[in-house]
Amino acid sequence: MEILMSILAGILFATAIYNLLQKQLLRIIIGTVLLSHGAHLFILTMGQLKTGKPPIIVEGVEQYTDPLPQALILTSIVISFGVTSLLLVLSYRASKLNESDNMEELRGSEHE
Amino acid sequence: MSNLAVLPIIIPLLAGIVAVFFAKKTMAVRIFAQVLTLLNLAVSIGIAFYVIQYGTVTLETGGWAAPYGIILVADPLAIFLVLTTNIIATASVFYAPNSLTHKQEQFYFYTFYFLLISGVSGAFLTGDLFNLFVFFEVLLMASYGLIVLGGEKIQLRESLKYVLLNLFSSMLFVTAIAFLYSVTGTVNMAQLAERIQEVEQTGILTTIGILLFFVFATKGAIFPLYFWMPKSYIVPNSVVSALFGALLTKVGIYSIVRTFTLIFIHNPEVTHELFLWLAALTMIFGVIGALSTNNVKLIIVYNIIPAVGFMLMGIGLFNHDGLAGSVYYLLQDIIIKACLFLMVGALIYVTGTSNLKKMKGLIHHFPLLGWMFFIGGLVLAGIPPFSGFIGKLLLLQGAIQEGRYVIVIIGLLTSLLILLSIMRIFTRGFWGERTELDTGNIQPKRVRGLIIPAFGLLSVCVVLGIGAEWFIPHIETITNQLLDPEIYIDSVLKE
């Protein structure tokens, strides 16, 4: 199971990097979202995917899954959610002001 | 008393929250920010003295014993960095009203500023790797807010790249933590250090170490990962540039110091050798950048890069003198970089341009600023008796002890070129015939407000250099603790 998840995370990373290297701004943002998905899946996998009950203490349950990676993922999710929403607003403003969403055109010093 | 360790984080955090409520009342929020910053400075001086006297303060937040809860560790290195942070925060908060426009000040500048300080102090004080990630995000989020403050075309454009790059490296950081968790089963730094000493399979740990190094190198602008920095640091207001240039890259360097003196010390032939080469390249490329431009702010921004290279060199040498040099250089470089940015801000305000070719003969109008700039340049280049000299001397001593003569030569040459790059501003901008300034837009009161904080920082730097004998014993303590990770582990995982 861990191997499958690792491959999946790897595919997510690969698509994320491919999208990050595109010219269109929205594609780049989609790339960052895919990248954070990959990273979060990866934390879950690295905490080992043993079969067990959800980490809520109930009478008579012996085997729980590891609660720490889940807490780490939850923290990381809200952080990347915050950054992504900032990034979306920023790119909206930037593309409106600069009248372009092409990263090739958003560089150099001629339009300062 | 162990609750002391949380104060440098919690005071600016609360101040930032309170400042939201009356952000539009400029005068009130200004005074509030200045008072709280001074309070925070006083508190960190107090904690620094406490730590010097009684040793490391560790705080188990929530009362959970060390490896299970989050702990804050105020060891001498961390607390000295927090103190330095607060010194430049104080200068910045008095500088800000004169530098920012009215609108920028009203749009939550002080909130972002306090959150930045809180995040930086938190990153210095934390003893937990995932918590370090969270504090990195706290300070980065605040920096995103500060970099777009004003919302000009170029700011939006450059901040977009800044946010994207930092998001990428943050996700890499999370991945590296996941790797480390799967190998060791913990994210607490002291326990990580303890377990890594026991673990046999060092290959995977070296890989994770280098992955973490690349994350911190992106934050700390080390060759080949400094490409994002120059543009993003010149677009915001001068006071924001000063905070960024002084603090953000140094948090990356501090993280490298912490992780590679505490956790990943099992395979120095690979990691620390890599650091030395990267340090040499960082110095060369940074100083070439500094010589390549006529934009005064960009010259200072490029000068951050060779300084980072010097600090990395000390970590790469990994002997007593090298590390002592790194620590000393780190502390003084935070102050001098902030000071130079503040002076350049004043220069840009009085001339109305950042192009060096359009400035001439300013010494006739602003003699104090001119001579301050001269001394600042000497401090930066490392001319005795100023503070840059002692750090570099220790670093070069360390390099000679290891027989690394190539990096000694590169370091000396870099210092020479740094001096050249900074003196170009002095000779071209301040020397020359007296020209009439367009005085219509310059308010003398504002200019004074811009020069005084920079003067304060410069005098701290001069004291650091001339009074080096007071500080060397503390640097020794820090270095000895860095060389012996057992001290850190024992202070955290005490029975």
Side-chain angles (χ1 to χ4, degrees):
Chain A
M1 193 62 196
E2 273 95 347
I3 292 172
L4 274 179
M5 288 282 273
S6 300
I7 293 170
L8 178 61
I11 293 169
L12 276 170
F13 279 136
T15 34
I17 306 267
Y18 177 76
N19 274 304
L20 280 173
L21 296 175
Q22 297 297 303
K23 284 176 191 163
Q24 203 189 351
L25 203 44
L26 196 60
R27 278 208 178 190
I28 295 173
I29 297 170
I30 289 170
T32 63
V33 174
L34 289 175
L35 186 72
S36 53
H37 285 338
H40 298 154
L41 270 184
F42 199 71
I43 307 178
L44 193 70
T45 317
M46 287 293 113
Q48 291 189 334
L49 301 165
K50 286 174 296 194
T51 323
K53 291 281 166 198
I56 302 163
I57 295 175
V58 184
E59 285 280 326
V61 178
E62 296 282 306
Q63 278 273 319
Y64 293 106
T65 51
D66 192 350
L68 186 69
Q70 302 185 11
L72 300 189
I73 293 167
L74 198 56
T75 315
S76 183
I77 284 175
V78 290
I79 288 172
S80 53
F81 181 68
V83 180
T84 307
S85 50
L86 176 82
L87 199 53
L88 282 167
V89 177
L90 207 60
S91 60
Y92 174 73
R93 281 267 290 171
S95 57
K96 267 221 149 163
L97 259 179
N98 291 293
E99 288 165 357
S100 168
D101 69 338
N102 188 332
M103 281 311 252
E104 288 277 299
E105 288 167 18
L106 291 176
R107 66 172 190 182
S109 47
E110 57 268 28
H111 303 297
E112 282 168 15
Chain B
M1 285 312 271
S2 66
N3 282 342
L4 279 176
V6 81
L7 286 179
I9 306 172
I10 211 98
I11 294 172
L13 189 64
L14 290 177
I17 294 167
V18 174
V20 173
F21 294 108
F22 51 99
K24 306 288 173 201
K25 296 191 176 65
T26 320
M27 224 34 222
V29 77
R30 223 178 249 180
I31 291 165
F32 172 77
Q34 287 168 355
V35 169
L36 261 288
T37 307
L38 284 174
L39 174 73
N40 201 16
L41 178 67
V43 167
S44 22
I45 291 173
I47 302 171
F49 273 109
Y50 186 85
V51 170
I52 289 168
Q53 219 165 10
Y54 301 101
T56 305
V57 176
T58 48
L59 169 63
E60 290 159 350
T61 52
W64 293 91
Y68 304 111
I70 287 172
I71 48 151
L72 299 172
V73 188
D75 67 340
L77 174 61
I79 204 67
F80 268 91
L81 282 165
V82 168
L83 181 58
T84 323
T85 305
N86 278 309
I87 290 171
I88 73 141
T90 313
S92 309
V93 83
F94 284 99
Y95 186 91
N98 303 300
S99 171
L100 295 164
T101 63
H102 195 62
K103 210 175 165 194
Q104 284 175 331
E105 218 177 341
Q106 280 195 338
F107 274 89
Y108 307 101
F109 169 78
Y110 291 107
T111 302
F112 287 130
Y113 153 82
F114 274 125
L115 291 179
L116 185 77
I117 299 299
S118 175
V120 170
S121 305
F124 288 145
L125 288 170
T126 184
D128 179 298
L129 215 52
F130 194 78
N131 203 225
L132 179 67
F133 163 72
V134 174
F135 277 120
F136 258 119
E137 290 303 310
V138 171
L139 73 92
L140 285 173
M141 286 275 205
S143 76
Y144 302 154
L146 286 172
I147 197 171
V148 288
L149 196 70
E152 278 168 41
K153 225 172 169 177
I154 181 162
Q155 276 182 312
L156 285 164
R157 208 176 74 185
E158 295 306 323
S159 61
L160 203 58
K161 295 165 197 171
Y162 177 75
V163 178
L164 277 170
L165 198 105
N166 276 306
L167 185 56
F168 183 78
S169 75
S170 295
M171 283 305 133
L172 219 55
F173 195 1
V174 169
T175 319
I177 292 172
F179 270 126
L180 207 51
Y181 180 71
S182 81
V183 176
T184 60
T186 178
V187 286
N188 180 300
M189 286 194 208
Q191 206 187 11
L192 267 174
E194 207 178 32
R195 285 195 180 169
I196 282 178
Q197 286 170 10
E198 295 159 2
V199 169
E200 296 292 316
Q201 28 162 207
T202 51
I204 185 81
L205 286 171
T206 311
T207 316
I208 298 169
I210 291 175
L211 183 58
L212 263 184
F213 169 74
F214 270 90
V215 173
F216 297 141
T218 319
K219 317 271 186 199
I222 287 164
F223 176 86
L225 300 160
Y226 66 83
F227 55 86
W228 56 274
M229 196 186 75
K231 271 261 165 120
S232 19
Y233 277 22
I234 55 167
V235 291
N237 192 292
S238 305
V239 62
V240 178
S241 295
L243 285 168
F244 281 18
L247 294 176
L248 297 195
T249 52
K250 305 318 183 275
V251 182
I253 288 294
Y254 165 79
S255 310
I256 294 173
V257 172
R258 189 57 94 200
T259 42
F260 286 91
T261 56
L262 181 67
I263 303 173
F264 302 106
I265 45 173
H266 55 277
N267 199 358
E269 312 83 69
V270 177
T271 49
H272 292 69
E273 188 70 30
L274 175 78
F275 293 172
L276 271 183
W277 286 106
L278 287 182
L281 289 167
T282 311
M283 286 185 223
I284 296 169
F285 278 82
V287 90
I288 288 173
L291 287 168
S292 70
T293 173
N294 273 319
N295 184 331
V296 280
K297 212 167 171 184
L298 201 56
I299 292 175
I300 309 292
V301 171
Y302 269 118
N303 266 312
I304 298 170
I305 300 169
V308 166
F310 273 110
M311 293 166 218
L312 189 67
M313 171 182 158
I315 308 161
L317 294 169
F318 205 58
N319 58 8
H320 183 276
D321 279 356
L323 276 176
S326 265
V327 171
Y328 194 90
Y329 204 80
L330 179 59
L331 292 171
Q332 73 94 19
D333 195 66
I334 292 178
I335 298 176
I336 188 64
K337 283 289 140 59
C339 176
L340 283 170
F341 272 110
L342 296 187
M343 286 195 283
V344 158
L347 194 61
I348 292 173
Y349 177 73
V350 295
T351 55
T353 172
S354 61
N355 191 341
L356 195 53
K357 283 181 177 162
K358 291 180 185 160
M359 300 173 189
K360 204 174 150 199
L362 284 169
I363 198 101
H364 301 289
H365 303 279
F366 303 100
L368 179 63
L369 185 64
W371 292 116
M372 272 165 59
F373 218 101
F374 182 69
I375 294 174
L378 296 186
V379 174
L380 187 72
I383 308 285
F386 298 112
S387 57
F389 171 70
I390 298 142
K392 275 182 189 157
L393 182 71
L394 285 168
L395 278 171
L396 296 181
Q397 267 179 4
I400 289 169
Q401 279 167 22
E402 299 281 311
R404 305 278 184 167
Y405 296 108
V406 179
I407 203 156
V408 172
I409 294 166
I410 293 175
L412 286 171
L413 212 63
T414 309
S415 305
L416 196 67
L417 295 176
I418 289 173
L419 185 66
L420 177 63
S421 72
I422 196 89
M423 282 306 149
R424 270 174 74 223
I425 302 181
F426 184 70
T427 50
R428 297 224 185 136
F430 286 95
W431 284 2
E433 284 167 35
R434 187 190 177 96
T435 46
E436 284 316 308
L437 276 179
D438 179 21
T439 44
N441 301 321
I442 305 171
Q443 301 160 332
K445 197 170 158 241
R446 264 201 134 158
V447 177
R448 230 175 295 135
L450 292 176
I451 292 178
I452 291 168
F455 186 79
L457 284 184
L458 194 64
S459 37
V460 173
C461 253
V462 170
V463 170
L464 259 176
I466 292 171
E469 287 190 2
W470 300 330
F471 302 104
I472 289 295
H474 305 309
I475 303 287
E476 290 281 315
T477 330
I478 293 173
T479 316
N480 291 335
Q481 292 209 1
L482 285 179
L483 282 170
D484 186 8
E486 291 301 324
I487 299 173
Y488 185 93
I489 297 171
D490 285 344
S491 66
V492 174
L493 297 174
K494 56 182 180 280
E495 289 306 315

